[in-house]
């Protein structure tokens, strides 16, 4: 979200703050206990509605004071009892020290660090997404009450993980619009939902709107990248997660991105901001820029001739808050030049103040309000830390398990060799936008704890994940594997390989890691298990096809308790149930397809293969949704309709002629919802969780997706037990298509519903 130089600066400041910040009072306005005269202000009167309170507050401010509320470091107005407020805090997968609004201290030295989002998304468990959000918001409120955090957290990241090389894909829920939508709205609800209607526990923010997924690829920078996106791809791939955040999650904020879309900076595009987010989706909150985005569109993209023009066009387009100081510096001159009106500024700060009202920032001492009893003892609780471990367990994906090698039996196994650059990592496990964790359990620690009666030999083999020739220690690794009964290789990436501001250029394991895996596997005496720790996917075809490697697991960046979760899965304390949230492409994809080509759909005339499981036509290493279990599940269809009939009014042209699709309209969509009833049986000998996917393939019209996820449900079944799953399908909402012009259409003809190997044909007619 922030520019890399700001990120480094705030990281340094946070380290200093860790040493110096002690307990203090939370920041809040309307301290009537301390200053009874504030009770005379209507905006401090909690019995009034929010609109009345905000109108009163805005009416009391001078133009200069109003402009002070346009930046993330909002100004103080002492005469009105309003302190300075820092809007910028982060909570991507736990309370973070990124951003100046949050600090750790001796009072609260750390917070629960959950797995990086890409791994949590692999659980396909919406209740887990919400549960994590609730824990994070509780810990955030506890820190706010002792002056260590704000109330507005610019998370989650719901961009589509379109290209496997993207450095920030780790922050996202993956490549599928439905999964990203479900994750975003569920996590937002966990963060925000309060006991009272229209109040907020904390304020979430869905970012980065929109079509943002290039950071720095072969010199192409996010600050100057112009994403050429069709209306069809924008509406059916890039925008749905943001729409769901606003409509389903009632998110308090949306952040516009650095990049341009079709020649316009997103933060200066009135169609995207005022037209879509606030107009069509009815955002109840504020729109904020990515940090320094307004400065970037003027100084880097040269989109406007003057800074006053930049201030005017962004605010008029619907921007309410600038992460940065550009609007604070240039808005007054824009008003004086007649390019911006005070009414424009009033509209922006009204949205900001209304959000703060919902957060009870203007309700007086928060210790006397809901959540006021939270404090340091509510951070890093035993239950919270166990949820972090459970989240990692649920996300870990078993990709290969030849001859049912796993799970291991700790009581009967012999010696163990643990080899690879990620065997004993700590910070690597929590990814980016991290906070100080409660504690770490490294992979090596987790395995040692699980194998207390076995000899464990640990050899990194590489000095770090770059695995350069200088730090390559192949012979000791081979010797350890040759003497061990079981070899566990833990390889992959860290933030030096994939991160904000840095995209990969290939899909191979870094440096000499492939050689390490191949040579150690060849030398190994016993079983070889490959564990890949990363955000993005790798081409591990060589391992998939290597008979000496019996098992492969992807563990993402598994959070503070990652080592324990890995051991739980390897030793069968937990039956893996994660599924890949992204396609794993071969290296040939990276060789042929530029990261900057934003097209989702394939083009057979040029050999362009398209992107993601919905459109991609090429070979894969592993597919979206892949994942194995230690048990087996069977699906059977109980009930689903075979026909859907769309009522047409008299005189409709499609009554007289054959039509391939119809425009979606309220008059057509009444009573078209239906249920799909499934029966799922655990036919194996071990209890386990299982995600049931409902996909559909529409008729071949309007460049429709090859396959599309309609719904998913996760259930846990004991051995030989069975359970029922019901998918409720709103035909026009869930099975409509976006045509080439961006219009919603209902396709007529034969649709195919898929659950596992089952197929059900559904005919749609008039």
């Amino acid at each position: 979200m922030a520019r890399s130089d700001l990120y480094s600066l705030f990281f340094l400041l946070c380290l200093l703050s860790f040493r110096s910040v002690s307990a203090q009072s939370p920041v809040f306005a309307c301290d009537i206990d301390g200053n009874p005269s504030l009770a005379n202000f209507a905006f401090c009167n909690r019995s009034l509605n929010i609109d009345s309170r905000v109108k009163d507050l805005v009416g009391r401010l001078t133009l200069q004071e109003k402009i002070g509320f346009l930046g993330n470091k909002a100004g103080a107005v002492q005469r009105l009892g309003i302190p300075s407020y820092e809007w910028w805090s982060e909570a991507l997968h736990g309370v973070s020290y990124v951003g100046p609004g949050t600090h750790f201290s001796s009072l609260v030295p750390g917070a629960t660090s959950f797995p990086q989002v890409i791994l949590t998304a692999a659980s396909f468990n919406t209740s887990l997404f919400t549960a994590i959000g609730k824990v994070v918001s509780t810990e955030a409120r506890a820190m706010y009450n002792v002056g260590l955090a704000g109330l507005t957290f610019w998370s989650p990241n719901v961009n589509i993980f379109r290209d496997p090389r993207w450095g920030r894909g780790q922050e996202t829920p993956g490549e599928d619009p439905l999964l990203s939508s479900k994750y975003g709205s569920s996590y937002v609800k966990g963060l925000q939902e309060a006991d009272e209607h229209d109040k907020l526990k904390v304020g979430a923010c869905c970012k980065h709107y929109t079509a943002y997924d290039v950071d720095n690829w072969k010199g192409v920078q996010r600050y100057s990248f112009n994403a050429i996106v069709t209306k069809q791809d924008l509406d059916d791939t890039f925008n749905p997660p943001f729409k769901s955040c606003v409509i389903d999650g009632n998110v308090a904020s949306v952040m516009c991105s650095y990049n341009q879309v079709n020649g316009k900076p997103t933060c200066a595009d009135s169609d995207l901001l005022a037209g879509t987010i606030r107009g069509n989706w009815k955002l109840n909150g504020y729109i904020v820029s990515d940090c320094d985005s307004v400065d970037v569109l003027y100084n880097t993209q040269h989109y406007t001739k003057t800074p006053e023009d930049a201030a005017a066009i962004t605010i008029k387009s619907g921007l309410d808050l600038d992460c940065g100081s550009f609007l604070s510096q240039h808005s007054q001159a824009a008003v004086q030049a007649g390019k911006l009106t005070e009414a424009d500024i009033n509209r922006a700060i009204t949205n900001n103040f209304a959000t703060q009202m919902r957060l009870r920032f203007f309700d007086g001492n928060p210790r006397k309000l809901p959540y006021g009893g939270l404090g340091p003892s509510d951070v890093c609780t035993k239950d919270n830390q166990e949820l972090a471990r459970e989240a990692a367990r649920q996300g870990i994906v078993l990709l290969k398990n030849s001859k049912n090698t796993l799970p291991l039996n700790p009581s009967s196994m012999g010696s163990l060799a643990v080899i690879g650059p990620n065997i004993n990592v700590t910070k690597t496990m929590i990814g980016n936008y991290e906070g100080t964790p409660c504690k770490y359990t490294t992979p090596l620690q987790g395995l040692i704890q699980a194998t207390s009666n076995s000899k464990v030999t640990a050899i990194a083999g590489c000095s770090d994940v770059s695995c350069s020739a200088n730090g390559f220690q192949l012979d000791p690794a081979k010797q350890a594997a040759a003497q061990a009964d079981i070899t566990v290789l833990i390889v992959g990436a860290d933030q030096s390989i994939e991160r904000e501001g840095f995209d990969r250029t290939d899909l191979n394991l870094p440096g000499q890691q492939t050689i390490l895996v191949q040579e150690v596997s060849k030398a190994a005496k016993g079983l070889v298990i490959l564990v890949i720790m990363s955000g993005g996917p790798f081409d591990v075809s060589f391992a998939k096809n290597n008979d000496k490697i019996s098992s492969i697991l992807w563990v993402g960046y598994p959070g503070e308790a990652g080592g324990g979760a890995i051991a739980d899965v390897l030793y069968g304390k937990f039956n893996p149930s994660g599924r890949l949230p992204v396609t794993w492409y071969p290296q040939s994809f990276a060789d042929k397809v530029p990261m900057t080509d934003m097209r989702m759909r394939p083009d057979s005339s040029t050999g362009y293969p398209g992107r993601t499981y919905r459109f991609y036509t090429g070979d894969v290493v592993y597919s979206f949704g892949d994942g194995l279990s230690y048990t087996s599940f069977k699906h059977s269809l109980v009930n689903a309709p075979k026909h859907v009939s769309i009522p047409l009014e008299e005189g409709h042209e499609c009554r007289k002629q054959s039509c391939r699709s119809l425009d979606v309209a309220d008059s057509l969509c009444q009573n078209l919802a239906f249920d799909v009833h499934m029966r799922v049986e655990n036919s194996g000998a071990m209890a386990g969780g299982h995600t049931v996917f409902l996909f559909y393939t529409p008729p071949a019209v309007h460049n429709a997706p090859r396959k599309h996820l309609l719904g998913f449900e996760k259930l846990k079944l004991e051995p030989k037990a069975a359970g029922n799953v019901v998918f409720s399908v709103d035909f026009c909402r869930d099975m409509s298509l976006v045509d080439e012009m961006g219009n919603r259409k209902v396709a007529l003809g034969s649709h195919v519903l898929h659950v596992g190997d089952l197929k059900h044909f559904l005919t749609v007619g008039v």
Side-chain angles (χ1 to χ4, degrees):
M1 184 268 312
R3 301 179 76 174
S4 57
D5 52 346
L6 282 175
Y7 183 100
S8 300
L9 173 62
F10 283 120
F11 180 75
L12 176 61
L13 290 174
C14 291
L15 290 179
L16 295 174
S17 299
F18 181 87
R19 299 186 182 97
S20 62
V21 176
S22 58
Q24 55 189 17
S25 298
V27 175
F28 62 95
C30 296
D31 183 9
I32 294 173
D33 294 339
N35 183 359
S37 66
L38 297 177
N40 296 321
F41 297 138
F43 69 83
C44 289
N45 185 346
R46 286 186 282 168
S47 68
L48 299 178
N49 62 51
I50 288 177
D51 290 344
S52 299
R53 296 175 70 186
V54 171
K55 183 177 180 181
D56 176 75
L57 173 55
V58 172
R60 295 178 185 275
L61 298 172
T62 67
L63 175 61
Q64 188 173 6
E65 288 169 339
K66 292 174 182 177
I67 291 171
F69 290 103
L70 291 174
N72 64 283
K73 183 64 174 178
V77 182
Q78 293 183 356
R79 65 185 180 85
L80 298 179
I82 303 173
S84 176
Y85 175 74
E86 177 55 68
W87 286 83
W88 179 10
S89 291
E90 302 279 354
L92 183 67
H93 52 102
V95 179
S96 171
Y97 47 54
V98 176
T102 303
H103 310 274
F104 292 98
S105 74
S106 57
L107 186 64
V108 182
T112 308
S113 188
F114 290 91
Q116 184 60 291
V117 174
I118 191 70
L119 185 69
T120 297
S123 73
F124 284 87
N125 186 344
T126 55
S127 62
L128 177 65
F129 306 158
T130 302
I132 292 173
K134 288 181 177 179
V135 167
V136 173
S137 60
T138 293
E139 295 194 348
R141 270 283 180 175
M143 292 177 67
Y144 169 72
N145 287 342
V146 292
L148 295 176
L151 293 169
T152 44
F153 291 83
W154 292 345
S155 305
N157 180 342
V158 294
N159 291 119
I160 295 296
F161 196 169
R162 173 189 61 92
D163 190 288
R165 294 162 286 190
W166 187 30
R168 301 190 72 177
Q170 60 181 292
E171 303 173 26
T172 76
E175 70 181 34
D176 180 69
L178 178 70
L179 174 59
S180 298
S181 297
K182 294 284 190 181
Y183 178 88
S185 61
S186 298
Y187 187 63
V188 164
K189 289 176 182 177
L191 288 175
Q192 291 193 165
E193 285 187 348
D195 297 333
E196 188 175 341
H197 174 68
D198 207 32
K199 297 295 184 182
L200 298 169
K201 190 177 179 184
V202 301
C205 173
C206 288
K207 61 186 186 183
H208 313 78
Y209 179 78
T210 181
Y212 165 63
D213 52 18
V214 174
D215 264 58
N216 183 1
W217 180 76
K218 295 185 176 182
V220 178
Q221 295 274 353
R222 57 183 173 167
Y223 306 122
S224 55
F225 179 57
N226 179 22
I228 303 301
V229 184
T230 67
K231 181 68 173 172
Q232 187 175 31
D233 286 343
L234 194 68
D235 286 355
D236 84 347
T237 297
F238 296 109
N239 281 358
F242 295 97
K243 181 178 181 180
S244 181
C245 275
V246 175
I247 294 176
D248 302 321
N250 194 23
V251 73
S253 178
V254 174
M255 176 183 287
C256 51
S257 54
Y258 290 116
N259 57 291
Q260 296 185 356
V261 174
N262 300 328
K264 284 186 178 183
T266 62
C267 294
D269 190 327
S270 60
D271 290 335
L272 288 177
L273 304 188
T276 301
I277 298 176
R278 195 169 298 282
N280 296 339
W281 301 342
K282 310 300 181 187
L283 173 71
N284 180 18
Y286 66 101
I287 299 174
V288 61
S289 73
D290 204 340
C291 290
D292 286 338
S293 282
V294 185
D295 182 275
V296 164
L297 73 86
Y298 171 66
N299 282 309
T300 302
Q301 298 176 4
H302 308 295
Y303 187 71
T304 63
K305 292 182 178 180
T306 69
E308 293 79 18
D309 289 332
I313 195 172
T314 51
I315 293 175
K316 284 180 173 292
S317 293
L319 187 68
D320 302 311
L321 188 70
D322 173 22
C323 179
S325 58
F326 195 93
L327 292 185
S328 299
Q329 294 172 356
H330 300 291
S331 293
Q332 185 153 349
V335 173
Q336 292 169 345
K339 298 178 178 183
L340 189 65
T341 67
E342 189 167 353
D344 294 324
I345 294 173
N346 289 348
R347 176 201 51 74
I349 63 173
T350 290
N351 293 325
N352 301 339
F353 287 143
T355 303
Q356 289 181 307
M357 296 280 183
R358 295 172 66 202
L359 288 162
R360 300 181 183 272
F361 182 77
F362 287 90
D363 285 5
N365 189 344
R367 290 170 177 163
K368 297 182 178 181
L369 299 171
Y371 314 112
L374 296 173
S377 64
D378 297 293
V379 183
C380 285
T381 66
K382 182 179 179 180
D383 286 347
N384 293 357
Q385 293 183 64
E386 177 57 29
L387 184 62
R389 186 165 178 159
E390 174 66 13
R393 286 189 293 240
Q394 289 199 31
I396 289 173
V397 182
L398 178 63
L399 293 170
K400 179 182 179 181
N401 195 25
S402 300
K403 299 178 181 178
N404 295 320
T405 299
L406 296 177
L408 302 173
N409 186 342
S411 62
S412 62
M413 64 178 288
S415 57
L416 177 68
V418 187
I419 297 170
N422 279 337
I423 62 173
N424 205 30
V425 291
T426 53
K427 198 168 183 294
T428 296
M429 294 195 301
I430 59 177
N432 67 352
Y433 282 83
E434 74 286 6
T436 304
C438 309
K439 63 179 181 181
Y440 287 112
T441 301
T442 73
L444 181 59
Q445 289 170 341
L447 291 171
I448 289 174
Q449 291 168 10
T451 57
S452 57
N453 297 324
S454 301
K455 176 185 175 183
V456 178
T457 302
I459 301 290
C462 308
S463 57
D464 54 41
V465 292
S466 65
C467 207
S468 63
N470 291 336
F472 197 34
Q473 297 178 320
L474 182 59
D475 288 342
K478 291 169 62 176
Q479 291 169 9
Q483 297 171 10
D485 296 304
I486 297 172
T487 297
V488 178
L489 282 152
I490 306 180
V491 301
D494 64 12
Q495 300 305 301
S496 70
I497 302 298
E498 52 179 359
R499 65 181 184 274
E500 181 176 14
F502 189 82
D503 301 318
R504 290 187 284 156
T505 57
D506 65 59
L507 299 177
N508 297 315
L509 288 173
Q512 307 293 311
Q513 286 191 41
T514 297
I515 295 174
L516 177 69
V517 173
Q518 290 174 325
E519 292 300 314
V520 166
S521 301
K522 189 184 302 182
K525 178 178 73 173
L527 299 172
V528 178
I529 299 163
L530 178 62
V531 176
I532 302 165
M533 186 180 294
S534 68
F538 287 102
D539 183 348
V540 291
S541 302
F542 73 93
K544 179 181 180 181
N545 299 322
N546 186 339
D547 292 338
K548 285 293 296 286
I549 299 174
S550 59
S551 303
I552 301 175
L553 297 95
W554 173 71
V555 301
Y557 293 125
E560 64 173 40
I566 292 169
D568 290 341
V569 170
L570 290 178
Y571 289 101
K573 291 183 178 179
F574 187 87
N575 190 346
S577 60
R579 302 289 194 94
L580 288 181
V582 292
T583 301
W584 285 38
Y585 300 86
Q587 172 58 30
S588 58
F589 176 89
D591 292 336
K592 297 176 183 177
V593 179
M595 191 173 173
T596 49
D597 192 326
M598 300 293 292
R599 290 176 295 166
M600 298 301 300
R601 288 160 166 82
D603 183 349
S604 59
S605 67
T606 62
Y608 181 71
R611 294 175 181 274
T612 76
Y613 81 93
R614 297 168 66 227
F615 303 105
Y616 179 62
T617 57
D619 296 330
V620 301
V621 180
Y622 289 108
S623 298
F624 173 90
D626 277 358
L628 304 173
S629 171
Y630 296 152
T631 189
S632 301
F633 295 92
K634 295 180 180 179
H635 307 104
S636 58
L637 179 66
V638 176
N639 186 39
K642 294 183 178 180
H643 302 278
V644 170
S645 181
I646 299 176
L648 295 181
E649 65 271 18
E650 293 295 330
H652 193 286
E653 60 182 0
C654 292
R655 284 185 174 273
K656 302 175 183 177
Q657 62 187 44
S658 177
C659 294
R660 301 181 69 192
S661 65
L662 301 169
D663 290 323
V664 170
D666 291 341
S667 59
L668 298 181
C669 294
Q670 302 297 320
N671 303 315
L672 293 185
F674 60 87
D675 290 339
V676 176
H677 295 258
M678 302 296 306
R679 183 79 169 166
V680 183
E681 179 188 352
N682 180 352
S683 57
M686 186 176 183
H690 179 62
T691 298
V692 184
F693 294 113
L694 177 63
F695 290 100
Y696 90 107
T697 297
V701 296
H702 303 305
N703 288 318
R706 298 168 66 243
K707 188 169 74 168
H708 183 75
L709 186 61
L710 278 184
F712 57 88
E713 294 290 340
K714 192 158 192 173
L715 72 167
K716 184 176 181 180
L717 293 174
E718 295 298 317
K720 309 305 179 184
N724 297 318
V725 173
V726 179
F727 293 100
S728 296
V729 179
D730 181 321
F731 183 78
C732 285
R733 181 193 66 195
D734 300 328
M735 295 180 66
S736 60
L737 306 173
V738 177
D739 72 7
E740 294 82 352
M741 301 304 295
N743 301 310
R744 277 280 163 190
K745 298 281 189 175
V746 171
L748 301 177
S750 179
H751 297 246
V752 184
L753 303 180
H754 310 255
V755 177
D757 294 330
L758 292 177
K759 291 185 178 181
H760 176 74
F761 292 88
L762 174 68
T763 301
V764 178
V766 296

